């Protein structure tokens, strides 16, 4: 039996001060060109929390506006507001957009080594607001102490190599280094890792709300972000998954980390689906938090073009993969696309291996897939940076391959992206946009009978790690539940009748044995 | 262009001589191709990498430019690039590349 997707959660955290202080475009500029016009201009291009919540692609990411509804608005989107009666709110069907100040408190709750410290007044102001978040539990709030004096935080930042946490450019806390010498435990690394962990925790909490699953029923969690946690003796030792599961209250879960740059989430989902299908576990969650380094990555282009610096949110998501319940959409593990070592890195080779080959192997054509979900980067962010509309480019490539395969006429190519594509809406947080942002909507559309299948395509740039020049990618297909016999959901009556039958047979056999003995 | 790639291009130019190097670009957008070409000819326009203020004037072309096609094995080009050529705005890319090359002269 194929495993099923029981639900997905998607969260964003506004992080304007982290754009300025932790995004690598900005930190690099501070080193090579500290007096640059860009660094002076950038703060003027940061958005308010209200604008970030109202931003149409963000409302799509958290589930309030569907991709179809988003695509009805002409691009660019940053200067548009919802005007067709859509819900625009902090909270969405799949998750929420958390303000930066509350996120700092969540980071502290995720820190079990007293590395995050926050100023007293700041905590007093923000904690009551965080407490109103429906997915934040008493146990999480209990991890946030009263706070300390600003002077101590200033001392940590100025003299002890701590990384400052700022709200409206004002120091409100810091992340301390976890070791005096080990660079793998520096304040910088600890901040990045705690941000990732907190994003994962927030999405794990929302996943419980979205799916209604008891956290004690989750047996395994796979983290697929792009950070590494460890020390000087094992730099990427792990384990983000178990660390986040602990804070999120998944008490029965074990877990591990899977990595593959931006392809990580798609790899993790295939692994989760296989673990469940094999019977090893009944419920596996794939999760990831966001990435501070990529905040403001294309900020120079955004500032140059006089637009807001749109890369001002951290992403996060979680997906629950469960044993077949006879209802939810299945992950078909027969239609797996793999970019192998020998595949080659030309776009044509990549798309062939991820899309055409697995479909052909299963007697399907490219045009048999209703919707493709490749890299779902928001074009509002990438187009001004000269990187074009990434999902649209993917649909064009997939369509062009269908033309080359003789599945459709070249004249039909122009209509292919609209027919088989989903508009991009995810923040450019590496692994966050890679295939998975559409799963929440795809699951619903398949359940509603609007779509018959969706192909998720994850791609990763392995060469960035300088270990190989290879590219990477993996794809799989989500399809309606086959409705075949399910081991789940057997009724009480059925169990009673099965036990009754067994007892009758047992009684009959005893009777038979007695008759034999008597005979 | 990625800072590390700028460093590598600079090292190649120093090692083999700028006149012996052709940079073949595969960017999907004219603007991105133009930025990369500008970086290896006039210098890094973003003033961030090792090629800031370094005018290497390397020969830079996009893989889809007509002028280069006779250099390729047609079958391999079709197998590796044919699909992308169908997708890309080759005219816009060629124009952008010509602009950069003209500025370079």
């Amino acid at each position: 039996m194929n495993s099923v997707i029981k639900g997905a959660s998607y969260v964003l955290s506004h992080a304007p001060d982290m754009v300025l202080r932790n995004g690598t475009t900005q930190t690099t500029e501070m080193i090579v060109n500290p007096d640059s016009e860009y660094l002076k201009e950038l703060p003027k291009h940061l958005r308010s929390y209200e604008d970030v919540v109202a931003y149409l692609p963000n409302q799509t990411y958290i589930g309030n506006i569907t991709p179809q509804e988003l695509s009805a608005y002409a691009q660019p989107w940053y200067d548009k507001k919802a005007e067709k009666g859509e819900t625009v709110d902090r909270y969405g069907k799949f998750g929420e957009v958390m303000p930066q100040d509350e996120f700092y408190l969540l980071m502290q709750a995720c820190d079990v080594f007293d590395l995050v410290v926050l100023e007293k007044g700041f905590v007093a102001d923000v904690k009551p607001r965080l407490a109103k978040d429906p997915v934040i539990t008493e146990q999480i709030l209990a991890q946030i102490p009263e706070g300390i004096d600003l002077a101590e935080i200033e001392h940590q930042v100025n003299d002890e190599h701590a990384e400052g946490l700022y709200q409206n450019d004002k120091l409100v806390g810091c992340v301390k280094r976890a070791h005096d010498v080990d660079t793998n435990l520096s304040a910088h690394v600890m901040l990045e890792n705690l941000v990732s962990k907190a994003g994962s925790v927030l999405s794990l909490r929302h996943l419980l709300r979205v799916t209604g699953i008891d956290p004690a029923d989750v047996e395994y969690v796979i983290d697929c972000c792009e950070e590494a946690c460890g020390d000087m003796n094992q730099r990427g030792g792990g384990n983000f998954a178990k660390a986040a599961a602990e804070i999120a209250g998944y008490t029965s879960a074990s877990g591990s980390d899977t990595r593959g740059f931006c392809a990580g989430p798609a790899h993790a989902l295939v692994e989760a689906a296989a673990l469940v299908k094999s019977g090893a576990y009944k419920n596996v969650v794939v999760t990831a938090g966001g990435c501070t380094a990529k905040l403001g990555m294309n900020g120079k282009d955004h500032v140059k073009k006089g637009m807001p610096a749109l890369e001002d949110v951290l992403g996060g998501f979680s997906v629950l993969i469960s044993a077949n319940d006879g209802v939810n959409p299945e992950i078909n593990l027969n239609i797996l696309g793999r970019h192998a070592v020998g595949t080659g890195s030309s776009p044509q080779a990549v798309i062939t291996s991820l899309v055409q080959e697995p479909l052909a192997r299963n007697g399907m054509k490219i045009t048999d897939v209703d919707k493709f979900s490749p890299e779902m980067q928001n074009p509002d962010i990438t187009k001004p940076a000269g990187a074009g509309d990434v999902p649209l480019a993917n649909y064009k490539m997939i369509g062009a391959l269908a033309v080359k395969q003789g599945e459709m006429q070249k004249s039909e190519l122009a209509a292919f992206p609209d027919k088989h594509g989903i508009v991009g809406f995810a923040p450019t947080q590496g692994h966050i946009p890679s295939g998975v942002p559409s799963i929440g909507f795809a699951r619903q559309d398949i359940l509603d009978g609007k779509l018959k299948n969706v192909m998720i395509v994850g791609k990763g740039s392995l060469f960035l790690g300088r270990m190989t020049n290879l590219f990477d990618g993996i794809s799989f297909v989500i399809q309606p539940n086959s409705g075949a016999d399910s081991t789940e959901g057997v009724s009480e009556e059925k169990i009673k009748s099965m036990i009754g039958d067994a007892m009758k047979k047992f009684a009959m056999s005893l009777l038979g044995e007695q008759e034999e003995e008597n005979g | 262009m990625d800072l590390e790639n700028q460093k590598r291009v600079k090292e190649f130019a120093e090692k083999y001589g700028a006149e012996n190097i052709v940079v073949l670009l595969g960017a999907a957008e004219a603007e991105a191709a133009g930025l990369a070409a500008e970086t290896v000819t006039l210098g890094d326009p973003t003033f961030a990498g090792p090629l800031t203020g370094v005018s290497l004037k390397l020969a830079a072309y996009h893989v889809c430019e007509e002028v280069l096609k006779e250099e390729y094995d047609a079958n391999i080009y079709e197998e590796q690039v044919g699909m992308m050529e169908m997708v890309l705005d080759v005219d816009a890319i060629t124009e952008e590349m010509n602009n950069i090359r003209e500025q370079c002269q």
Side-chain angles (χ1 to χ4, degrees):
Chain A
M1 295 290 292
N2 284 324
S3 43
V4 300
I5 298 175
K6 275 213 173 141
S9 65
Y10 298 95
V11 298
L12 299 171
S13 307
H14 187 214
D17 288 272
M18 291 195 193
V19 172
L20 299 176
R21 295 171 187 277
N22 305 107
T24 51
T25 299
Q26 290 65 252
T27 53
T28 304
E29 188 78 354
M30 283 175 207
I31 296 166
V32 300
N33 202 2
D35 298 321
S36 81
E37 274 305 304
Y38 168 63
L39 289 176
K40 285 177 203 150
E41 277 296 307
L42 179 61
K44 299 175 202 160
H45 293 255
L46 292 174
R47 296 184 291 185
S48 68
Y49 173 67
E50 289 69 28
D51 284 350
V52 166
V53 169
Y55 186 49
L56 297 167
N58 289 350
Q59 286 296 313
T60 305
Y61 189 76
I62 65 167
N64 282 334
I65 295 177
T66 66
Q68 292 87 338
E69 288 167 341
L70 176 65
S71 64
Y73 288 88
Q75 293 177 27
W77 293 318
Y78 62 82
D79 57 358
K80 310 270 189 317
K81 292 270 186 278
E83 54 186 29
K84 295 170 185 168
E86 303 95 335
T87 303
V88 171
D89 193 59
R90 164 176 174 163
Y91 298 101
K93 195 173 160 190
F94 301 140
E96 69 172 292
V97 185
M98 183 173 265
Q100 179 178 263
D101 50 9
E102 293 180 39
F103 188 72
Y104 287 158
L105 266 64
L106 182 60
M107 278 171 65
Q108 187 176 45
C110 288
D111 160 37
V112 293
F113 280 85
D114 298 330
L115 301 173
V116 179
V117 289
L118 297 169
E119 194 270 327
K120 266 185 202 161
F122 179 73
V123 175
D125 173 38
V126 180
K127 198 171 175 181
R129 282 189 276 126
L130 179 66
K132 287 186 189 154
D133 189 313
V135 303
I136 298 298
T137 60
E138 284 299 324
Q139 289 92 324
I140 289 176
L141 290 169
Q143 303 307 311
I144 303 163
E146 268 189 6
I148 62 170
D149 289 334
L150 183 62
E152 173 57 21
I153 297 167
E154 286 170 340
H155 163 67
Q156 286 292 335
V157 171
N158 296 334
D159 310 318
E160 299 291 337
H161 304 279
E163 282 278 340
L165 296 172
Y166 296 82
Q167 182 71 13
N168 300 323
D169 214 26
K170 193 173 142 234
L171 186 68
V172 294
C174 68
V175 179
K176 295 188 276 187
R177 59 183 168 177
H179 195 280
D180 288 350
V181 179
D182 188 347
T183 53
N184 306 288
L185 296 170
S186 67
H188 165 81
V189 172
M190 294 316 301
L191 182 142
E192 284 193 344
N193 287 352
L194 286 167
V195 162
S196 184
K197 182 182 176 186
S200 172
V201 165
L202 186 60
S203 71
L204 286 169
R205 291 299 310 165
H206 273 284
L207 187 69
L208 300 176
R209 181 186 61 79
V210 168
T211 62
I213 191 171
D214 182 341
D217 289 341
V218 174
E219 296 158 285
Y220 205 74
V221 178
I222 304 175
D223 179 284
C224 55
C225 78
E226 295 178 79
E227 311 301 347
C229 61
D231 68 1
M232 64 171 99
N233 295 314
Q234 46 273 309
R235 193 161 44 79
N239 173 325
F240 277 96
K242 207 164 174 177
E246 178 192 16
I247 306 295
Y250 288 49
T251 50
S252 306
S254 174
S256 63
D257 300 342
T258 283
R259 294 290 179 267
F261 277 100
C262 306
H267 278 290
L269 280 160
V270 168
E271 286 161 16
L275 283 169
V276 171
K277 188 173 181 177
S278 74
Y281 306 114
K282 285 193 176 62
N283 296 296
V284 177
V285 170
V286 170
T287 186
C291 170
T292 51
K294 293 193 183 78
L295 291 168
M297 194 164 50
N298 294 291
K300 287 184 179 177
D301 291 298
H302 295 162
V303 166
K304 198 161 68 185
K305 294 194 166 122
M307 52 184 282
L310 297 172
E311 292 158 306
D312 53 5
V313 289
L314 299 157
F317 75 90
S318 294
V319 182
L320 173 61
I321 308 293
S322 298
N324 203 311
D325 57 0
V327 177
N328 275 290
E330 300 175 352
I331 291 181
N332 186 336
L333 288 177
N334 291 327
I335 316 177
L336 280 190
R338 295 181 309 122
H339 181 278
V341 169
T343 298
S345 60
S346 75
Q348 195 157 332
V350 171
I351 298 289
T352 301
S353 69
L354 296 180
V355 177
Q356 192 261 332
E357 190 280 330
L359 292 171
R361 190 158 28 85
N362 287 274
M364 291 170 74
K365 294 187 294 184
I366 289 171
T367 48
D368 288 336
V369 174
D370 276 358
K371 291 282 181 187
F372 291 91
S373 174
E375 301 149 293
M376 299 305 295
Q377 278 95 340
N378 172 3
D380 233 16
I381 297 172
T382 56
K383 275 160 76 175
D389 182 329
V390 178
L392 179 64
N394 273 279
Y395 307 136
K396 284 181 180 172
M397 287 191 281
I398 294 168
L401 196 58
V403 172
K404 278 185 77 71
Q405 294 294 320
E407 294 180 17
M408 61 181 206
Q409 298 296 316
K410 198 174 175 186
S411 57
E412 297 171 85
L413 189 53
F416 186 87
D418 264 352
K419 197 173 171 198
H420 294 276
I422 302 167
V423 69
F425 55 85
T428 49
Q429 287 256 294
H431 55 290
I432 297 292
S434 196
V436 291
S438 313
I439 288 179
F441 290 112
R443 175 183 166 272
Q444 196 57 53
D445 285 346
I446 290 173
L447 277 174
D448 294 346
K450 289 181 191 165
L451 294 177
K452 70 173 190 297
N453 55 24
V454 174
M455 182 180 244
I456 305 291
V457 184
K459 295 191 207 164
S461 304
L462 303 188
F463 46 84
L464 295 171
R466 308 295 195 266
M467 277 292 108
T468 171
N469 259 321
L470 289 175
F471 190 75
D472 188 38
I474 183 162
S475 66
F476 59 89
V477 166
I478 308 172
Q479 63 189 30
N481 199 289
S482 53
D485 284 337
S486 167
T487 51
E488 293 271 303
V490 178
S491 69
E492 203 177 324
E493 286 80 352
K494 176 92 177 162
I495 292 169
K496 280 181 182 164
S497 128
M498 284 162 74
I499 293 171
D501 284 347
M503 287 176 77
K504 271 184 207 160
K505 279 180 194 160
F506 184 58
M508 291 295 281
S509 68
L510 278 180
L511 210 60
E513 278 169 21
Q514 268 182 347
E515 279 170 5
E516 273 173 27
E517 279 170 18
N518 292 343
Chain B
M1 184 187 274
D2 179 46
L3 306 190
E4 191 60 29
N5 282 343
Q6 289 191 35
K7 194 174 147 205
R8 290 176 77 187
V9 169
K10 191 163 175 253
E11 283 168 4
F12 283 140
E14 283 160 2
K15 190 171 172 188
Y16 301 107
E19 69 283 7
N20 295 318
I21 291 178
V22 176
V23 180
L24 201 54
L25 302 167
E29 297 286 324
E31 192 179 343
L35 278 174
E38 189 177 346
T39 306
V40 299
T41 51
L42 304 167
D44 181 4
T46 67
F47 301 104
L51 292 178
T52 301
V54 180
S55 180
L56 290 179
K57 297 197 171 179
L58 301 181
Y61 293 88
H62 192 278
V63 71
C64 288
E65 285 188 84
E66 205 58 43
V67 61
L68 279 186
K69 285 221 177 135
E70 62 192 43
E71 305 286 335
Y72 310 140
D73 178 317
N75 289 331
I76 292 178
Y77 182 83
E78 189 53 29
E79 187 187 310
Q80 298 286 323
V81 191
M83 181 196 83
M84 281 311 287
E85 195 185 65
M86 214 185 290
V87 170
L88 299 182
D89 187 345
V90 177
D91 290 343
I93 290 172
T94 305
E95 193 188 331
E96 184 71 22
M97 298 301 286
N98 282 334
N99 283 342
I100 302 289
R101 283 193 293 262
E102 277 167 24
Q103 286 178 46
C104 199
Q105 281 166 3

